[in-house]
Amino acid sequence: METVRNDLKVSLWTQYQNSYLSYFLMYNFYYLSWALFSALISVYLIGLGFKASEVSLVVSASFLTSLFTQPIIGKWNNQYNLKKVNVILFTIAVIGGIVFMLSRNLLMITVSYSVVLMMINGVNPVMEKIATASPYQYGKIRIWGTIGYALGSQIAGLLYDKVSPQSIFIVFVLTMSLCILGLIGTQPQIKKESIENKEKTRSIDLFKNKKFIYYLAICAVFYGVTNMSNTFIPSMLTDKGLKVDMASTILSLAVFCEAPLVLFSGRFMDKLANKILLLISVSMVCMQCAVYAFDLPMIFIIIATFIAKHPAGMLYIMINLKVVNTIIDENQQITALAIVATLKNLVSIIFQNIAGYIIDMTSYGNLYFVCFWCMIICFLLVVFFKISSGNDKKLFS
């Protein structure tokens, strides 16, 4: 009987290895955990009595630590067993989540929040790589990230209102554990290449590429505004009178609005030129900031959130891949993407801190008025950006 049980366990584990279920658990609960932990961070900390500038300090500290640790985590994944490295990192995130839940001191909150986001942000490129190297179509894996993030935003709001703010982080520990279970079951076919030395010798050459430098300026404004906005939209909605559970419902529904872009990316990403795609994405954020800035009725604020918050960001993720593929040589694209990711963290720190002080001194309306003009500048930069269509690359077909 014992032998039969052991054989059954081995058989079930063999079937689980590299199954669709393993990738579902990994991807869905990774993004669900990410949303649980960060979606309502501004509401949670302001509810504890902290000021908006202190919220900015906590969030910008996480970007700062990610700025330095992402290359290190990437190097570890290139040198050592990918699954073992990331299981360890996710376990550290779980421990950090427990510490964050118990912390009331600003220093401990900042440190523990940074540890968790440092692990989650650092592993993100690897998660994307695992999804592309799975035996299943990328879109069928990536869609669970969208669904997971939406569910995480919704669950966070329900837990905050119906149970307690701290219960969010208990559930975070459970969902991260399910993510780890999924990760253990995956067997992606990833070739480990010795590219470190190549990248070191060619990184400087990228900064001689004028189109790339110009594109980094566009990225700086776009990422600075959108990352800052994502932090303060929840507290902006509650400041305008919405309950936390209603705000989280709106935010979770907003995540689902990016799903069509993910599922049908092959139908438009290789047909619309780079500049057109950039103008669409930037225009969406311009419209969003204008609606928030001019204090329009709540129905317009909700519609703007649905149209722009996640769809614009998801679209820009795909645009970034296409633009870099268009203007950068193939043997330098990994380095270029890493530079864009580093810039994203850097500008987020700057914009987060500026935003916190603007809110403390004035209002959310004034903050988004400044953001609106920043996006107008970004729009003009795109208008004068000389770049080919990139449609010959066929990245999404």
Side-chain angles (χ1 to χ4, degrees):
M1 181 64 71
E2 189 65 29
T3 303
V4 173
R5 288 179 180 176
N6 290 335
D7 290 343
L8 180 59
K9 289 179 181 178
V10 171
S11 176
L12 290 173
W13 179 249
T14 302
Q15 292 178 28
Y16 175 69
Q17 288 285 309
N18 220 34
S19 65
Y20 189 78
L21 176 61
S22 66
Y23 288 94
F24 159 74
L25 289 174
M26 178 194 72
Y27 226 72
N28 183 73
F29 287 105
Y30 169 75
Y31 277 96
L32 193 153
S33 301
W34 194 347
L36 268 177
F37 195 80
S38 61
L40 294 180
I41 184 61
S42 60
V43 176
Y44 175 75
L45 292 180
I46 290 173
L48 290 180
F50 294 103
K51 296 185 294 185
S53 56
E54 291 172 322
V55 174
S56 293
L57 175 64
V58 172
V59 175
S60 60
S62 70
F63 284 119
L64 182 62
T65 52
S66 296
L67 181 71
F68 293 109
T69 56
Q70 270 188 326
I72 298 172
I73 291 174
K75 184 177 180 181
W76 287 345
N77 279 296
N78 193 51
Q79 291 182 339
Y80 307 110
N81 183 280
L82 184 145
K83 287 199 288 188
K84 289 182 179 178
V85 168
N86 292 300
V87 165
I88 292 171
L89 295 177
F90 283 149
T91 303
I92 294 172
V94 168
I95 296 170
I98 295 171
V99 174
F100 181 84
M101 175 182 66
L102 300 174
S103 299
R104 293 296 177 270
N105 175 271
L106 182 62
L107 177 61
M108 285 304 300
I109 286 174
T110 303
V111 171
S112 55
Y113 186 81
S114 295
V115 167
V116 175
L117 267 294
M118 184 169 58
M119 300 299 106
I120 291 177
N121 288 332
V123 171
N124 186 252
V126 180
M127 297 292 285
E128 295 289 343
K129 185 64 177 176
I130 290 175
T132 59
S134 76
Y136 308 99
Q137 186 180 350
Y138 175 77
K140 293 180 179 178
I141 300 295
R142 183 62 177 83
I143 192 63
W144 288 114
T146 298
I147 294 171
Y149 200 93
L151 290 174
S153 300
Q154 181 66 62
I155 292 169
L158 291 173
L159 291 172
Y160 189 99
D161 268 349
K162 307 299 183 184
V163 186
S164 71
Q166 287 70 36
S167 65
I168 293 173
F169 308 106
I170 296 174
V171 177
F172 167 78
V173 171
L174 297 175
T175 55
M176 279 303 303
S177 300
L178 290 171
C179 175
I180 292 171
L181 177 62
L183 175 60
I184 293 172
T186 61
Q187 292 179 332
Q189 299 299 313
I190 297 178
K191 295 180 180 179
K192 296 200 173 186
E193 303 175 15
S194 300
I195 59 174
E196 184 180 356
N197 291 331
K198 291 183 181 179
E199 291 187 355
K200 284 183 178 178
T201 57
R202 292 169 178 162
S203 295
I204 296 177
D205 293 338
L206 282 171
F207 292 98
K208 297 177 183 178
N209 186 328
K210 293 181 180 179
K211 286 186 179 180
F212 183 59
I213 298 299
Y214 193 98
Y215 175 63
L216 288 179
I218 296 172
C219 288
V221 181
F222 185 90
Y223 282 132
V225 170
T226 54
N227 283 0
M228 176 281 302
S229 182
N230 288 343
T231 298
F232 287 106
I233 284 176
S235 56
M236 183 268 293
L237 292 174
T238 56
D239 183 70
K240 291 183 180 296
L242 288 183
K243 293 183 179 180
V244 174
D245 62 341
M246 179 59 70
S248 65
T249 298
I250 291 169
L251 295 176
S252 63
L253 291 175
V255 179
F256 282 113
C257 294
E258 75 177 34
L261 295 176
V262 177
L263 292 174
F264 301 111
S265 57
R267 298 188 180 183
F268 67 90
M269 283 300 298
D270 290 324
K271 296 179 180 179
L272 297 177
N274 280 310
K275 182 179 284 192
I276 298 299
L277 290 167
L278 282 167
L279 287 172
I280 292 171
S281 184
V282 171
S283 297
M284 291 165 72
V285 181
C286 277
M287 177 275 298
Q288 178 189 22
C289 292
V291 171
Y292 294 170
F294 296 110
D295 199 25
L296 296 180
M298 182 58 68
I299 184 63
F300 292 104
I301 292 175
I302 294 172
I303 292 172
T305 303
F306 286 165
I307 292 174
K309 185 178 185 292
H310 287 279
M314 186 68 237
L315 180 59
Y316 203 88
I317 288 172
M318 296 186 288
I319 291 170
N320 184 48
L321 291 170
K322 185 175 179 179
V323 169
V324 169
N325 191 273
T326 301
I327 64 177
I328 303 296
D329 292 337
E330 186 177 356
N331 58 4
Q332 294 179 300
Q333 288 174 10
I334 295 175
T335 308
L337 291 170
I339 291 172
V340 173
T342 301
L343 176 70
K344 180 179 178 180
N345 287 322
L346 182 60
V347 297
S348 296
I349 296 168
I350 297 170
F351 275 74
Q352 291 285 348
N353 282 283
I354 293 174
Y357 284 108
I358 291 175
I359 293 171
D360 283 345
M361 295 172 64
T362 58
S363 66
Y364 285 98
N366 286 334
L367 169 64
Y368 283 104
F369 186 74
V370 172
C371 289
F372 171 72
W373 283 106
C374 287
M375 292 310 300
I376 291 295
I377 293 171
C378 187
F379 184 90
L380 293 175
L381 287 172
V382 174
V383 169
F384 293 104
F385 188 23
K386 295 180 179 179
I387 182 173
S388 61
S389 69
N391 292 341
D392 58 312
K393 305 294 182 178
K394 303 299 179 184
L395 292 179
F396 302 90
S397 298

